[in-house]
Amino acid sequence: MRLDKFLKVSRLIKRRTVANEACDAGRVLINDKPAKASATVKAGDMITVRFGNKEVKAEVMDVRETVKKEEAAQLVRYL
């Protein structure tokens, strides 16, 4: 699955366009490497998102195309 879509589905970022802009600005890392919005995300990847001076790290537990709001927390494990 594309990184920008995963960020939206997992609720790490609220909107896909915002996720796209964050990737373009170099604020999203996969396994400590800058990632484009089109990068492929798979289970076991480590995602780091920088919001200003705050940093959110999460491990991808599962990848699904659609998920209900209650189940979104199961897609990632926060570190």
Side-chain angles (χ1 to χ4, degrees), residues 17-49:
T17 54
V18 175
N20 236 320
E21 291 167 3
C23 292
D24 290 344
R27 290 183 281 151
V28 181
L29 310 173
I30 295 180
N31 300 324
D32 297 323
K33 295 178 186 161
K36 293 184 178 180
S38 61
T40 304
V41 176
K42 57 191 179 310
D45 284 344
M46 300 297 290
I47 295 179
T48 305
V49 183

Side-chain angles (χ1 to χ4, degrees), residues 1 18 22 27 51 54 69:
M1 174 186 294
V18 175
R27 290 183 281 151
F51 299 103
K54 182 182 169 192
K69 186 177 182 179

Side-chain angles (χ1 to χ4, degrees), residues 1-77:
M1 174 186 294
R2 287 176 54 104
L3 175 60
D4 57 347
K5 184 170 184 179
F6 179 79
L7 291 171
K8 182 204 176 289
V9 169
S10 67
R11 311 275 199 295
L12 282 172
I13 296 181
K14 196 169 186 173
R15 291 185 182 86
R16 190 166 176 181
T17 54
V18 175
N20 236 320
E21 291 167 3
C23 292
D24 290 344
R27 290 183 281 151
V28 181
L29 310 173
I30 295 180
N31 300 324
D32 297 323
K33 295 178 186 161
K36 293 184 178 180
S38 61
T40 304
V41 176
K42 57 191 179 310
D45 284 344
M46 300 297 290
I47 295 179
T48 305
V49 183
R50 289 188 297 247
F51 299 103
N53 58 359
K54 182 182 169 192
E55 196 172 84
V56 176
K57 289 187 176 192
E59 179 182 359
V60 179
M61 302 304 286
D62 193 12
V63 178
R64 290 191 238 157
E65 290 292 320
T66 57
V67 67
K68 293 182 179 170
K69 186 177 182 179
E70 308 83 43
E71 299 169 353
Q74 298 172 356
L75 297 180
V76 295
R77 180 172 59 105

